[in-house]
Amino acid sequence: MKFKKIVVGNWKMNPGSLKEAEKTFLAITKGLEKVKGVAVVICPPAPFIYALHKLSGSRKIKLGAQDVFWERSGSYTGEVSASQLKEVGAKFVIINHSERRALGETDSGANKKVSALLREEITPVVCIGEARRDKEGLFLSYIENQIKTIFEGVSAAMIRNVVIAYEPVWAIGGTESMKPTEIYEMTILIRKILSSLYNNKIGAEATIIYGGSVNAENIEEIMREGNVQGVLPGRASQEPEPLAKIIGAVASTHR
Ligand code: PGA
């Protein structure tokens, strides 16, 4: 397992200015001084990555991006490559986020993005999750197909460098997270799928985090009962205070 504990903050298309981004980022890094044993990643809007990377200096905090394109270079107007993101300091990239899927991202596109990132030694934070639940349990095979398609061609040696973010789409941007016991069940399912695709060791050791309305109030319960190595907060990562509570709760969870 590459990351024993990890928090990935998705700032989405916020804040509006670089000045605000720098202020929030510095406040977050200050709060990290006493934190141990948890990797902290902030994924700001792409134009802010470089400036925040410069500010991060030797601090523990890492920068990430919210998307990438799979080609290395060429006539792809509006796209950004993995090596370009690496060059400006991104060590992680979120892919297949439901808000990107709503704009056309697909599992097969995500598959190409995983390979492009691994080639550049950037950690892909791969979002998976069902849009809705049905009584028949068809969402379970949906998750299985997502994992199979997105990781097709990714070797056992490389899959160790991936973070899987289980994010039920219906829980993102809402007021309530998924129940921690249900998160637990989903981690077991994901580990089973990875075990059958690769082997039991990979299934057992994969880094799985949860995202979807994580906040300062529900984080302790999620970490206590959810069987995850961390979380991917969106809105709650955009303010230093709730994020500090989230990081603190992840850091003090015994795993
Ligand atoms: P949220 O976003 O925490 O605001 O629900 C989660 C995400 O961006 O995946």
Side-chain angles (χ1 to χ4, degrees), residues 142-155:
Y142 175 81
I143 299 285
E144 184 169 2
N145 285 336
Q146 255 196 332
I147 295 176
K148 280 189 180 154
T149 309
I150 295 174
F151 296 128
E152 200 189 323
V154 177
S155 69

Side-chain angles (χ1 to χ4, degrees), residues 10 12 97 167 172-173 212-214 232-235:
N10 176 16
K12 310 188 187 227
H97 191 278
E167 299 214 319
I172 299 173
S213 298
V214 173
L232 193 163
R235 289 155 298 163

Side-chain angles (χ1 to χ4, degrees), residues 1 8 10 15 28 46 64 76 93 99-100 119 125 134 151 153 162-164 189 203 215 228 232 242 248 253:
M1 165 194 324
V8 182
N10 176 16
I28 292 169
Y76 303 103
V93 176
E99 288 155 17
R100 299 290 328 151
R119 206 164 52 219
V125 179
D134 55 307
F151 296 128
V162 168
V163 173
I164 296 181
L189 174 77
N215 58 41
V228 283
L232 193 163
T253 305

